[in-house]
Amino acid sequence: MTQPRYDVIAIGNAVVDVIASCGEELIEELELNRGGMTLVDEVRADELYAAMPPAREVSGGSAANTLAGLSTLGLQCAFVGQVADDQLGKVFRHDMRATGIDFDTPAREGEPATGRVLIFVTPDGERTMNTFLGAGQFLPADALDEDLIASGAILYLEGYLWDPEEPRRAMRRAIDVARKAGRKVAFTASESFVIERHGDDFRQMIDDGVIDILFVNEHELATLTGEEDFEAGVAALTGKVPVLVATRSEKGAIAVAHGERAEVAAEPVAKVVDTTGAGDQFAAGFLSGHARGEGLAASLKRGAIAASEVISHYGPRPEADLQALIAEKLG
């Protein structure tokens, strides 16, 4: 097996987050799914954008956010995702490359536009997301560079992108390429509604042993296993995936691997400003430890520290020096 060129290669949505603070009354007035993620078409996206208070634009996308954290932590990363040949597409490409991530998927001509997520943040820091996937849902399998996929030690896949047909085919092909090359496959479930629609696929992949590292939160774990009790859900997956990581917001997180279990408490935060990207950065912190051969407890601690940094400010990507922060807190 050849030495990997990259630590992590991710396939995910290429979207730009549009983030605005708002009161609870606007959530009700616009009939939004408070605290959740809703897929919207371009007409609804334009309607919500028009109703938003002043906003800021930050490149996002779950897997892309995770790579931004990993790159900040010194890992070599590459991204595969689809933007359109438009202004937001150029913003996204610039932001990825400026973070040190290789991103060479060609832009798509014509409609639809580059994807965007309209995020309404209420005073408690909770985010309500409305996603127009745009060009991202047309990532074709033939856009995959198989040599690139085979050159990553870990292939990281975003559950959100399993929903549209073309990217799903692309990810299935990427899994085959990665496994033939002897690489690990990591998968983040992303959201319960994705599991409700594609749970049979995910459960089959788990049973077939093609997922090496699985990231879920407690709600996704319940949807995936059918077990409302957290511990029962963990037990249902223990032994089926080599590494299971389950997060529980303020209750911390657990990881189970090869009969070993570790837990970590949530890192204290002076004020939760915006929870956008918390799970993405937790995954970045955990993978940064795992990729370097650190144990479960240390990797979980890295995840908790990275998540605490991102929820202390607006936007889904790190703003502080994560390496310094983790070095300081891990002692």
mmCIF file of all heavy atoms in Angstrom, residues 181-227:
data_model
loop_
_atom_site.group_PDB
_atom_site.id
_atom_site.type_symbol
_atom_site.label_atom_id
_atom_site.label_comp_id
_atom_site.label_asym_id
_atom_site.label_seq_id
_atom_site.Cartn_x
_atom_site.Cartn_y
_atom_site.Cartn_z
ATOM 1 N N ALA A 181 -7.944 0.737 -2.206
ATOM 2 C CA ALA A 181 -6.623 1.295 -1.931
ATOM 3 C C ALA A 181 -6.193 1.062 -0.488
ATOM 4 O O ALA A 181 -5.101 1.478 -0.082
ATOM 5 C CB ALA A 181 -6.621 2.791 -2.239
ATOM 6 N N GLY A 182 -7.065 0.398 0.311
ATOM 7 C CA GLY A 182 -6.725 0.099 1.696
ATOM 8 C C GLY A 182 -6.869 1.288 2.628
ATOM 9 O O GLY A 182 -6.240 1.341 3.689
ATOM 10 N N ARG A 183 -7.718 2.255 2.229
ATOM 11 C CA ARG A 183 -7.914 3.458 3.052
ATOM 12 C C ARG A 183 -9.124 3.289 3.975
ATOM 13 O O ARG A 183 -9.955 2.414 3.777
ATOM 14 C CB ARG A 183 -8.119 4.690 2.161
ATOM 15 C CG ARG A 183 -7.071 4.880 1.082
ATOM 16 C CD ARG A 183 -5.646 4.839 1.608
ATOM 17 N NE ARG A 183 -4.702 5.274 0.582
ATOM 18 C CZ ARG A 183 -3.389 5.134 0.677
ATOM 19 N NH1 ARG A 183 -2.859 4.556 1.744
ATOM 20 N NH2 ARG A 183 -2.598 5.566 -0.295
ATOM 21 N N LYS A 184 -9.239 4.206 4.951
ATOM 22 C CA LYS A 184 -10.388 4.186 5.861
ATOM 23 C C LYS A 184 -11.499 5.075 5.318
ATOM 24 O O LYS A 184 -11.233 6.105 4.684
ATOM 25 C CB LYS A 184 -9.976 4.685 7.243
ATOM 26 C CG LYS A 184 -9.092 3.721 8.014
ATOM 27 C CD LYS A 184 -8.759 4.295 9.383
ATOM 28 C CE LYS A 184 -7.897 3.324 10.183
ATOM 29 N NZ LYS A 184 -7.493 3.910 11.480
ATOM 30 N N VAL A 185 -12.737 4.695 5.619
ATOM 31 C CA VAL A 185 -13.907 5.490 5.230
ATOM 32 C C VAL A 185 -14.603 5.988 6.497
ATOM 33 O O VAL A 185 -14.993 5.199 7.357
ATOM 34 C CB VAL A 185 -14.898 4.670 4.379
ATOM 35 C CG1 VAL A 185 -16.153 5.490 4.072
ATOM 36 C CG2 VAL A 185 -14.237 4.210 3.083
ATOM 37 N N ALA A 186 -14.721 7.310 6.590
ATOM 38 C CA ALA A 186 -15.446 7.930 7.703
ATOM 39 C C ALA A 186 -16.738 8.525 7.158
ATOM 40 O O ALA A 186 -16.757 9.066 6.051
ATOM 41 C CB ALA A 186 -14.597 9.015 8.362
ATOM 42 N N PHE A 187 -17.796 8.427 7.941
ATOM 43 C CA PHE A 187 -19.104 8.888 7.474
ATOM 44 C C PHE A 187 -19.780 9.676 8.589
ATOM 45 O O PHE A 187 -19.817 9.231 9.729
ATOM 46 C CB PHE A 187 -19.972 7.679 7.096
ATOM 47 C CG PHE A 187 -21.242 8.032 6.362
ATOM 48 C CD1 PHE A 187 -21.253 8.134 4.986
ATOM 49 C CD2 PHE A 187 -22.423 8.249 7.054
ATOM 50 C CE1 PHE A 187 -22.422 8.468 4.310
ATOM 51 C CE2 PHE A 187 -23.587 8.576 6.392
ATOM 52 C CZ PHE A 187 -23.589 8.687 5.007
ATOM 53 N N THR A 188 -20.309 10.861 8.254
ATOM 54 C CA THR A 188 -21.092 11.618 9.219
ATOM 55 C C THR A 188 -22.545 11.619 8.772
ATOM 56 O O THR A 188 -22.857 11.941 7.617
ATOM 57 C CB THR A 188 -20.571 13.062 9.394
ATOM 58 O OG1 THR A 188 -21.439 13.770 10.278
ATOM 59 C CG2 THR A 188 -20.481 13.820 8.072
ATOM 60 N N ALA A 189 -23.435 11.219 9.677
ATOM 61 C CA ALA A 189 -24.844 11.049 9.306
ATOM 62 C C ALA A 189 -25.530 12.377 8.963
ATOM 63 O O ALA A 189 -26.503 12.408 8.216
ATOM 64 C CB ALA A 189 -25.598 10.358 10.430
ATOM 65 N N SER A 190 -25.059 13.480 9.506
ATOM 66 C CA SER A 190 -25.499 14.843 9.188
ATOM 67 C C SER A 190 -26.810 15.288 9.817
ATOM 68 O O SER A 190 -26.885 16.328 10.438
ATOM 69 C CB SER A 190 -25.556 15.093 7.678
ATOM 70 O OG SER A 190 -24.270 15.038 7.110
ATOM 71 N N GLU A 191 -27.887 14.524 9.638
ATOM 72 C CA GLU A 191 -29.195 14.995 10.123
ATOM 73 C C GLU A 191 -30.173 13.822 10.120
ATOM 74 O O GLU A 191 -30.117 12.953 9.256
ATOM 75 C CB GLU A 191 -29.714 16.103 9.207
ATOM 76 C CG GLU A 191 -30.984 16.766 9.666
ATOM 77 C CD GLU A 191 -30.749 17.951 10.605
ATOM 78 O OE1 GLU A 191 -29.670 18.556 10.567
ATOM 79 O OE2 GLU A 191 -31.681 18.268 11.359
ATOM 80 N N SER A 192 -31.087 13.808 11.060
ATOM 81 C CA SER A 192 -32.027 12.682 11.172
ATOM 82 C C SER A 192 -32.871 12.495 9.916
ATOM 83 O O SER A 192 -33.172 11.365 9.525
ATOM 84 C CB SER A 192 -32.942 12.873 12.392
ATOM 85 O OG SER A 192 -32.213 12.697 13.584
ATOM 86 N N PHE A 193 -33.238 13.607 9.246
ATOM 87 C CA PHE A 193 -34.108 13.445 8.070
ATOM 88 C C PHE A 193 -33.390 12.676 6.964
ATOM 89 O O PHE A 193 -34.020 11.965 6.171
ATOM 90 C CB PHE A 193 -34.603 14.812 7.558
ATOM 91 C CG PHE A 193 -33.719 15.474 6.545
ATOM 92 C CD1 PHE A 193 -33.843 15.201 5.194
ATOM 93 C CD2 PHE A 193 -32.740 16.383 6.936
ATOM 94 C CE1 PHE A 193 -33.023 15.816 4.259
ATOM 95 C CE2 PHE A 193 -31.922 16.996 6.022
ATOM 96 C CZ PHE A 193 -32.058 16.711 4.673
ATOM 97 N N VAL A 194 -32.062 12.793 6.895
ATOM 98 C CA VAL A 194 -31.300 12.044 5.888
ATOM 99 C C VAL A 194 -31.391 10.553 6.204
ATOM 100 O O VAL A 194 -31.561 9.718 5.300
ATOM 101 C CB VAL A 194 -29.820 12.501 5.860
ATOM 102 C CG1 VAL A 194 -29.052 11.722 4.799
ATOM 103 C CG2 VAL A 194 -29.705 13.994 5.592
ATOM 104 N N ILE A 195 -31.304 10.217 7.495
ATOM 105 C CA ILE A 195 -31.395 8.811 7.896
ATOM 106 C C ILE A 195 -32.805 8.285 7.647
ATOM 107 O O ILE A 195 -32.987 7.135 7.218
ATOM 108 C CB ILE A 195 -31.011 8.641 9.379
ATOM 109 C CG1 ILE A 195 -29.594 9.157 9.616
ATOM 110 C CG2 ILE A 195 -31.119 7.176 9.801
ATOM 111 C CD1 ILE A 195 -29.212 9.280 11.072
ATOM 112 N N GLU A 196 -33.819 9.120 7.891
ATOM 113 C CA GLU A 196 -35.198 8.692 7.639
ATOM 114 C C GLU A 196 -35.388 8.318 6.170
ATOM 115 O O GLU A 196 -36.121 7.392 5.843
ATOM 116 C CB GLU A 196 -36.167 9.812 8.032
ATOM 117 C CG GLU A 196 -36.335 9.943 9.553
ATOM 118 C CD GLU A 196 -36.962 11.253 9.967
ATOM 119 O OE1 GLU A 196 -37.341 12.043 9.069
ATOM 120 O OE2 GLU A 196 -37.072 11.508 11.190
ATOM 121 N N ARG A 197 -34.707 9.026 5.285
ATOM 122 C CA ARG A 197 -34.849 8.768 3.847
ATOM 123 C C ARG A 197 -33.915 7.672 3.346
ATOM 124 O O ARG A 197 -34.249 6.954 2.402
ATOM 125 C CB ARG A 197 -34.582 10.061 3.076
ATOM 126 C CG ARG A 197 -35.666 11.096 3.287
ATOM 127 C CD ARG A 197 -35.218 12.486 2.897
ATOM 128 N NE ARG A 197 -35.035 12.663 1.483
ATOM 129 C CZ ARG A 197 -35.681 13.548 0.728
ATOM 130 N NH1 ARG A 197 -36.592 14.321 1.283
ATOM 131 N NH2 ARG A 197 -35.445 13.661 -0.551
ATOM 132 N N HIS A 198 -32.738 7.573 3.953
ATOM 133 C CA HIS A 198 -31.722 6.653 3.409
ATOM 134 C C HIS A 198 -31.152 5.700 4.453
ATOM 135 O O HIS A 198 -30.082 5.138 4.264
ATOM 136 C CB HIS A 198 -30.578 7.465 2.778
ATOM 137 C CG HIS A 198 -31.033 8.394 1.699
ATOM 138 N ND1 HIS A 198 -31.394 7.950 0.438
ATOM 139 C CD2 HIS A 198 -31.218 9.739 1.703
ATOM 140 C CE1 HIS A 198 -31.774 8.997 -0.292
ATOM 141 N NE2 HIS A 198 -31.679 10.079 0.446
ATOM 142 N N GLY A 199 -31.895 5.525 5.548
ATOM 143 C CA GLY A 199 -31.409 4.670 6.630
ATOM 144 C C GLY A 199 -31.091 3.253 6.190
ATOM 145 O O GLY A 199 -30.120 2.651 6.673
ATOM 146 N N ASP A 200 -31.876 2.712 5.268
ATOM 147 C CA ASP A 200 -31.611 1.342 4.793
ATOM 148 C C ASP A 200 -30.234 1.265 4.130
ATOM 149 O O ASP A 200 -29.496 0.297 4.332
ATOM 150 C CB ASP A 200 -32.699 0.880 3.815
ATOM 151 C CG ASP A 200 -34.018 0.600 4.516
ATOM 152 O OD1 ASP A 200 -34.020 0.502 5.764
ATOM 153 O OD2 ASP A 200 -35.051 0.496 3.829
ATOM 154 N N ASP A 201 -29.902 2.298 3.353
ATOM 155 C CA ASP A 201 -28.567 2.373 2.731
ATOM 156 C C ASP A 201 -27.484 2.373 3.806
ATOM 157 O O ASP A 201 -26.499 1.631 3.726
ATOM 158 C CB ASP A 201 -28.413 3.682 1.929
ATOM 159 C CG ASP A 201 -28.875 3.539 0.487
ATOM 160 O OD1 ASP A 201 -29.278 2.425 0.100
ATOM 161 O OD2 ASP A 201 -28.821 4.538 -0.243
ATOM 162 N N PHE A 202 -27.656 3.248 4.801
ATOM 163 C CA PHE A 202 -26.628 3.407 5.832
ATOM 164 C C PHE A 202 -26.467 2.130 6.650
ATOM 165 O O PHE A 202 -25.356 1.702 6.956
ATOM 166 C CB PHE A 202 -26.959 4.583 6.755
ATOM 167 C CG PHE A 202 -27.062 5.916 6.049
ATOM 168 C CD1 PHE A 202 -27.755 6.965 6.622
ATOM 169 C CD2 PHE A 202 -26.486 6.116 4.805
ATOM 170 C CE1 PHE A 202 -27.857 8.200 5.992
ATOM 171 C CE2 PHE A 202 -26.583 7.335 4.151
ATOM 172 C CZ PHE A 202 -27.277 8.377 4.741
ATOM 173 N N ARG A 203 -27.618 1.535 7.010
ATOM 174 C CA ARG A 203 -27.545 0.303 7.807
ATOM 175 C C ARG A 203 -26.888 -0.829 7.010
ATOM 176 O O ARG A 203 -26.130 -1.632 7.565
ATOM 177 C CB ARG A 203 -28.950 -0.088 8.285
ATOM 178 C CG ARG A 203 -29.450 0.804 9.432
ATOM 179 C CD ARG A 203 -30.812 0.394 9.960
ATOM 180 N NE ARG A 203 -31.901 0.886 9.123
ATOM 181 C CZ ARG A 203 -32.521 2.049 9.310
ATOM 182 N NH1 ARG A 203 -32.163 2.854 10.302
ATOM 183 N NH2 ARG A 203 -33.504 2.429 8.510
ATOM 184 N N GLN A 204 -27.145 -0.857 5.691
ATOM 185 C CA GLN A 204 -26.519 -1.872 4.845
ATOM 186 C C GLN A 204 -25.011 -1.655 4.769
ATOM 187 O O GLN A 204 -24.217 -2.608 4.841
ATOM 188 C CB GLN A 204 -27.124 -1.832 3.431
ATOM 189 C CG GLN A 204 -26.690 -2.996 2.539
ATOM 190 C CD GLN A 204 -27.157 -4.341 3.068
ATOM 191 O OE1 GLN A 204 -28.335 -4.555 3.279
ATOM 192 N NE2 GLN A 204 -26.208 -5.255 3.325
ATOM 193 N N MET A 205 -24.598 -0.389 4.651
ATOM 194 C CA MET A 205 -23.173 -0.078 4.600
ATOM 195 C C MET A 205 -22.487 -0.473 5.908
ATOM 196 O O MET A 205 -21.370 -0.985 5.900
ATOM 197 C CB MET A 205 -22.971 1.420 4.313
ATOM 198 C CG MET A 205 -23.237 1.729 2.846
ATOM 199 S SD MET A 205 -23.341 3.460 2.335
ATOM 200 C CE MET A 205 -22.576 4.415 3.549
ATOM 201 N N ILE A 206 -23.169 -0.244 7.020
ATOM 202 C CA ILE A 206 -22.619 -0.640 8.323
ATOM 203 C C ILE A 206 -22.497 -2.165 8.390
ATOM 204 O O ILE A 206 -21.458 -2.708 8.774
ATOM 205 C CB ILE A 206 -23.502 -0.104 9.464
ATOM 206 C CG1 ILE A 206 -23.357 1.420 9.568
ATOM 207 C CG2 ILE A 206 -23.154 -0.767 10.794
ATOM 208 C CD1 ILE A 206 -24.400 2.089 10.446
ATOM 209 N N ASP A 207 -23.562 -2.863 7.965
ATOM 210 C CA ASP A 207 -23.542 -4.335 7.995
ATOM 211 C C ASP A 207 -22.475 -4.905 7.054
ATOM 212 O O ASP A 207 -21.886 -5.946 7.344
ATOM 213 C CB ASP A 207 -24.921 -4.897 7.613
ATOM 214 C CG ASP A 207 -25.966 -4.671 8.701
ATOM 215 O OD1 ASP A 207 -25.571 -4.361 9.851
ATOM 216 O OD2 ASP A 207 -27.171 -4.768 8.392
ATOM 217 N N ASP A 208 -22.252 -4.208 5.934
ATOM 218 C CA ASP A 208 -21.254 -4.674 4.967
ATOM 219 C C ASP A 208 -19.825 -4.342 5.393
ATOM 220 O O ASP A 208 -18.861 -4.733 4.725
ATOM 221 C CB ASP A 208 -21.516 -4.055 3.583
ATOM 222 C CG ASP A 208 -22.779 -4.605 2.928
ATOM 223 O OD1 ASP A 208 -23.285 -5.649 3.401
ATOM 224 O OD2 ASP A 208 -23.271 -3.988 1.955
ATOM 225 N N GLY A 209 -19.696 -3.557 6.466
ATOM 226 C CA GLY A 209 -18.365 -3.241 6.982
ATOM 227 C C GLY A 209 -17.581 -2.233 6.162
ATOM 228 O O GLY A 209 -16.351 -2.227 6.206
ATOM 229 N N VAL A 210 -18.295 -1.361 5.429
ATOM 230 C CA VAL A 210 -17.560 -0.393 4.595
ATOM 231 C C VAL A 210 -17.341 0.944 5.307
ATOM 232 O O VAL A 210 -16.642 1.813 4.790
ATOM 233 C CB VAL A 210 -18.250 -0.144 3.225
ATOM 234 C CG1 VAL A 210 -18.361 -1.430 2.444
ATOM 235 C CG2 VAL A 210 -19.611 0.512 3.400
ATOM 236 N N ILE A 211 -17.945 1.120 6.496
ATOM 237 C CA ILE A 211 -17.720 2.353 7.255
ATOM 238 C C ILE A 211 -16.787 2.040 8.433
ATOM 239 O O ILE A 211 -17.091 1.193 9.271
ATOM 240 C CB ILE A 211 -19.047 2.941 7.774
ATOM 241 C CG1 ILE A 211 -19.925 3.370 6.605
ATOM 242 C CG2 ILE A 211 -18.780 4.140 8.687
ATOM 243 C CD1 ILE A 211 -21.294 3.885 7.012
ATOM 244 N N ASP A 212 -15.644 2.724 8.456
ATOM 245 C CA ASP A 212 -14.657 2.498 9.517
ATOM 246 C C ASP A 212 -14.869 3.422 10.710
ATOM 247 O O ASP A 212 -14.585 3.050 11.847
ATOM 248 C CB ASP A 212 -13.242 2.711 8.966
ATOM 249 C CG ASP A 212 -12.926 1.742 7.843
ATOM 250 O OD1 ASP A 212 -12.769 0.548 8.122
ATOM 251 O OD2 ASP A 212 -12.855 2.181 6.668
ATOM 252 N N ILE A 213 -15.333 4.643 10.444
ATOM 253 C CA ILE A 213 -15.546 5.633 11.501
ATOM 254 C C ILE A 213 -16.908 6.272 11.253
ATOM 255 O O ILE A 213 -17.154 6.822 10.173
ATOM 256 C CB ILE A 213 -14.457 6.737 11.473
ATOM 257 C CG1 ILE A 213 -13.055 6.125 11.505
ATOM 258 C CG2 ILE A 213 -14.649 7.705 12.639
ATOM 259 C CD1 ILE A 213 -11.956 7.112 11.146
ATOM 260 N N LEU A 214 -17.801 6.203 12.226
ATOM 261 C CA LEU A 214 -19.146 6.754 12.076
ATOM 262 C C LEU A 214 -19.371 7.851 13.111
ATOM 263 O O LEU A 214 -19.171 7.632 14.314
ATOM 264 C CB LEU A 214 -20.200 5.659 12.252
ATOM 265 C CG LEU A 214 -21.665 6.114 12.193
ATOM 266 C CD1 LEU A 214 -22.019 6.645 10.804
ATOM 267 C CD2 LEU A 214 -22.607 4.958 12.568
ATOM 268 N N PHE A 215 -19.775 9.039 12.622
ATOM 269 C CA PHE A 215 -20.117 10.155 13.496
ATOM 270 C C PHE A 215 -21.633 10.342 13.502
ATOM 271 O O PHE A 215 -22.250 10.482 12.439
ATOM 272 C CB PHE A 215 -19.480 11.462 12.994
ATOM 273 C CG PHE A 215 -17.986 11.510 13.135
ATOM 274 C CD1 PHE A 215 -17.158 11.117 12.091
ATOM 275 C CD2 PHE A 215 -17.394 11.965 14.304
ATOM 276 C CE1 PHE A 215 -15.779 11.167 12.211
ATOM 277 C CE2 PHE A 215 -16.009 12.019 14.444
ATOM 278 C CZ PHE A 215 -15.197 11.622 13.389
ATOM 279 N N VAL A 216 -22.231 10.360 14.699
ATOM 280 C CA VAL A 216 -23.662 10.638 14.842
ATOM 281 C C VAL A 216 -23.863 11.509 16.080
ATOM 282 O O VAL A 216 -23.043 11.486 16.998
ATOM 283 C CB VAL A 216 -24.508 9.345 15.024
ATOM 284 C CG1 VAL A 216 -24.589 8.538 13.749
ATOM 285 C CG2 VAL A 216 -23.958 8.486 16.175
ATOM 286 N N ASN A 217 -24.970 12.268 16.088
ATOM 287 C CA ASN A 217 -25.367 12.871 17.359
ATOM 288 C C ASN A 217 -26.452 11.977 17.967
ATOM 289 O O ASN A 217 -26.865 10.985 17.363
ATOM 290 C CB ASN A 217 -25.806 14.337 17.203
ATOM 291 C CG ASN A 217 -27.067 14.502 16.361
ATOM 292 O OD1 ASN A 217 -27.930 13.614 16.305
ATOM 293 N ND2 ASN A 217 -27.194 15.636 15.704
ATOM 294 N N GLU A 218 -26.915 12.318 19.161
ATOM 295 C CA GLU A 218 -27.839 11.407 19.855
ATOM 296 C C GLU A 218 -29.162 11.221 19.109
ATOM 297 O O GLU A 218 -29.756 10.142 19.134
ATOM 298 C CB GLU A 218 -28.075 11.867 21.290
ATOM 299 C CG GLU A 218 -28.617 13.260 21.448
ATOM 300 C CD GLU A 218 -28.676 13.681 22.927
ATOM 301 O OE1 GLU A 218 -28.811 12.805 23.803
ATOM 302 O OE2 GLU A 218 -28.578 14.890 23.188
ATOM 303 N N HIS A 219 -29.626 12.272 18.400
ATOM 304 C CA HIS A 219 -30.882 12.163 17.648
ATOM 305 C C HIS A 219 -30.698 11.256 16.429
ATOM 306 O O HIS A 219 -31.558 10.426 16.117
ATOM 307 C CB HIS A 219 -31.366 13.545 17.212
ATOM 308 C CG HIS A 219 -31.454 14.525 18.343
ATOM 309 N ND1 HIS A 219 -32.313 14.340 19.411
ATOM 310 C CD2 HIS A 219 -30.764 15.675 18.604
ATOM 311 C CE1 HIS A 219 -32.167 15.334 20.270
ATOM 312 N NE2 HIS A 219 -31.232 16.159 19.806
ATOM 313 N N GLU A 220 -29.574 11.422 15.741
ATOM 314 C CA GLU A 220 -29.288 10.572 14.574
ATOM 315 C C GLU A 220 -29.094 9.119 15.000
ATOM 316 O O GLU A 220 -29.521 8.192 14.300
ATOM 317 C CB GLU A 220 -28.031 11.095 13.862
ATOM 318 C CG GLU A 220 -28.231 12.465 13.238
ATOM 319 C CD GLU A 220 -26.953 13.274 13.115
ATOM 320 O OE1 GLU A 220 -25.857 12.736 13.368
ATOM 321 O OE2 GLU A 220 -27.061 14.465 12.776
ATOM 322 N N LEU A 221 -28.459 8.921 16.160
ATOM 323 C CA LEU A 221 -28.256 7.567 16.676
ATOM 324 C C LEU A 221 -29.598 6.884 16.903
ATOM 325 O O LEU A 221 -29.787 5.716 16.529
ATOM 326 C CB LEU A 221 -27.463 7.631 17.988
ATOM 327 C CG LEU A 221 -27.171 6.304 18.685
ATOM 328 C CD1 LEU A 221 -26.216 5.465 17.855
ATOM 329 C CD2 LEU A 221 -26.597 6.541 20.075
ATOM 330 N N ALA A 222 -30.551 7.614 17.486
ATOM 331 C CA ALA A 222 -31.882 7.050 17.742
ATOM 332 C C ALA A 222 -32.593 6.703 16.437
ATOM 333 O O ALA A 222 -33.216 5.638 16.305
ATOM 334 C CB ALA A 222 -32.719 8.037 18.556
ATOM 335 N N THR A 223 -32.486 7.590 15.446
ATOM 336 C CA THR A 223 -33.139 7.351 14.158
ATOM 337 C C THR A 223 -32.515 6.158 13.441
ATOM 338 O O THR A 223 -33.208 5.335 12.838
ATOM 339 C CB THR A 223 -33.045 8.602 13.256
ATOM 340 O OG1 THR A 223 -33.540 9.734 13.983
ATOM 341 C CG2 THR A 223 -33.865 8.445 11.988
ATOM 342 N N LEU A 224 -31.195 6.055 13.529
ATOM 343 C CA LEU A 224 -30.475 4.988 12.829
ATOM 344 C C LEU A 224 -30.731 3.620 13.443
ATOM 345 O O LEU A 224 -30.896 2.621 12.733
ATOM 346 C CB LEU A 224 -28.973 5.301 12.842
ATOM 347 C CG LEU A 224 -28.053 4.402 12.017
ATOM 348 C CD1 LEU A 224 -28.415 4.457 10.538
ATOM 349 C CD2 LEU A 224 -26.596 4.815 12.214
ATOM 350 N N THR A 225 -30.800 3.568 14.771
ATOM 351 C CA THR A 225 -30.925 2.269 15.451
ATOM 352 C C THR A 225 -32.347 1.921 15.854
ATOM 353 O O THR A 225 -32.644 0.757 16.155
ATOM 354 C CB THR A 225 -30.066 2.253 16.732
ATOM 355 O OG1 THR A 225 -30.547 3.265 17.635
ATOM 356 C CG2 THR A 225 -28.595 2.519 16.400
ATOM 357 N N GLY A 226 -33.240 2.942 15.888
ATOM 358 C CA GLY A 226 -34.589 2.709 16.374
ATOM 359 C C GLY A 226 -34.665 2.640 17.888
ATOM 360 O O GLY A 226 -35.703 2.294 18.462
ATOM 361 N N GLU A 227 -33.569 2.976 18.564
ATOM 362 C CA GLU A 227 -33.504 2.940 20.027
ATOM 363 C C GLU A 227 -33.551 4.359 20.579
ATOM 364 O O GLU A 227 -32.645 5.148 20.339
ATOM 365 C CB GLU A 227 -32.201 2.263 20.498
ATOM 366 C CG GLU A 227 -32.029 0.834 20.020
ATOM 367 C CD GLU A 227 -32.886 -0.148 20.809
ATOM 368 O OE1 GLU A 227 -33.564 0.280 21.761
ATOM 369 O OE2 GLU A 227 -32.865 -1.339 20.472
#
